[in-house]
Every structure is written in structure tokens, then in C-alpha cells.
Amino acid sequence: MASKKASARASARSSARPSATRPAVRIRRVYDTPEPDDGTRVLVDRVWPRGLAKADAHLDEWTKDAAPSTELRRWYGHDPDRFPEFTRRYHAELADPDRRAAVDHLRTLAAAGPLTLLTAVKDLDHGHVQVLAEAIRGHG
């Protein structure tokens, strides 16, 4: 289990590396201790994380409109075998005007400095935040 967590942290950190054309977008669990280089911390889940007091969240914003719909989230059920189809469906949802505006807002935040997307999802590699981060970077 420890290696799985280490892998998730490495993935989150590697996704935060900026380049000349890609804004710095980091992915972390909302339960993790904030780090100085997190930049703007934004919760991107539709529902508030279980067991977390709002005062303990240490976030700058909660952007619910960037999250997948309740129907899509329930269909997916965090089943890694469904991730490719989930990704396709989530991209389609992100084309919705409200979600597109939320992604544009997150792009603006990322352009201004490091952006950390926060989620309660345990499997960061197969969570909606991976798809959302790529959309913010302009690859989705």
C-alpha cells in the first residue's frame, strides 16, 4: 500500500512540472497536508469530502462545476476498467457551457501561478482530476 501512495505522490508531483506551454497543475488529495508550493488550492469534487471540516480544508476555492455529473460519477464507480470510457464521457461533459467556464477559470488561475487541484478520490491515477488537469493544460 505504501508503494501505491508513493506512486500517487510521484504522479501528482510530476504532473505539477511546468513547461513553456503547460501551466503548473498539481493534483493532490484534499486530506494531505498543504505544501508551500501548492499555489492556489481548489477543490474540484462535486460533494464535500467526508470527515473534513471546512476550516481544515486549507483551500482557496471550491469549483463544483468542474466535477463530473453525479450520474457519470455513479456510473464510473472508480472502476479502472471503465476509465477510458469515463474519460470520453467526462470530456463530453466538459464541453457544457457551465463546465467549460469552470475549466476556463481554472486555466486563468493556473496561468497566474501554480494550481493544485484537490480531490477526495483515493486513486489519483484513475480519478477525474487527471482528465481535468489535462483539459486545463489544453490537452483535452
Side-chain angles (χ1 to χ4, degrees), residues 97-110:
D98 289 338
R99 287 191 179 87
R100 189 170 52 241
V103 172
D104 288 344
H105 171 68
L106 293 170
R107 277 190 190 122
T108 300
L109 293 176

Side-chain angles (χ1 to χ4, degrees), residues 33-100:
T33 303
E35 294 183 6
D37 58 347
D38 281 350
T40 303
R41 295 170 47 89
V42 180
L43 178 64
V44 292
D45 289 351
R46 184 156 305 281
V47 297
W48 188 260
R50 289 183 188 179
L52 183 67
K54 290 188 180 186
D56 296 334
H58 304 286
L59 56 93
D60 297 297
E61 290 185 24
W62 182 13
T63 306
K64 295 179 199 179
D65 286 342
S69 67
T70 300
E71 296 79 17
L72 180 57
R73 183 176 47 84
R74 286 181 180 158
W75 170 84
Y76 177 45
H78 301 286
D79 178 351
D81 292 336
R82 289 185 171 182
F83 190 68
E85 179 61 16
F86 167 80
T87 298
R88 187 192 68 73
R89 291 181 186 191
Y90 186 33
H91 278 295
E93 286 191 354
L94 289 174
D96 169 81
D98 289 338
R99 287 191 179 87
R100 189 170 52 241

Side-chain angles (χ1 to χ4, degrees), residues 117-137:
L117 302 178
L118 301 170
T119 183
V121 172
K122 291 179 183 175
D123 182 356
L124 295 178
D125 292 332
H126 296 100
H128 72 284
V129 290
Q130 288 293 342
V131 180
L132 182 58
E134 288 304 309
I136 293 166
R137 292 180 187 119

